Amino acid sequence: MLALTGRYGDGWYPWESMSPDEYQRRLALVHDTARAAGRDPEAIVPAAIITMLTARTPAGLRHAIVCPSSALVSAADAAFGYGVVLWLAAQLRRGAGSRPSG
């Protein structure tokens, strides 16, 4: 699938979490295949899944770690998690403009 992505795809969005080294290795394969097909590898937009657990209390977080399938037990927990995601996205956007390039 990585080779097909490099040859034909506009983006690469892996369905699983992986280490940064594994992500880099797989993206390099996508880029190498794109080059071999005469495509600009930078035209393929990469993405990633960020997995995180959120909870309103330390006990809730312990429960989410031990029993992840039952972590969202209420609408309040789901709303809290969504709020954390929005806050994180805002922090990343704010920091993106202030990072040194290179």
Side-chain angles (χ1 to χ4, degrees), residues 12-93:
W12 178 56
Y13 185 50
W15 62 272
E16 62 187 329
S17 295
M18 63 191 78
S19 71
D21 289 340
E22 182 63 14
Y23 184 90
Q24 183 178 16
R25 184 189 73 73
R26 292 182 189 187
L27 183 57
L29 180 59
V30 169
H31 284 173
D32 291 345
T33 306
R35 266 187 224 94
R39 299 185 65 213
D40 176 8
E42 297 304 316
I44 301 170
V45 178
I49 292 176
I50 299 174
T51 304
M52 67 177 172
L53 295 173
T54 62
R56 292 176 289 158
T57 64
L61 184 57
R62 280 190 297 279
H63 176 73
I65 291 168
V66 173
C67 305
S69 63
S70 63
L72 291 176
V73 294
S74 71
D77 287 336
F80 177 80
Y82 184 66
V84 169
V85 169
L86 294 177
W87 174 84
L88 179 60
Q91 297 304 310
L92 292 171
R93 279 193 302 275

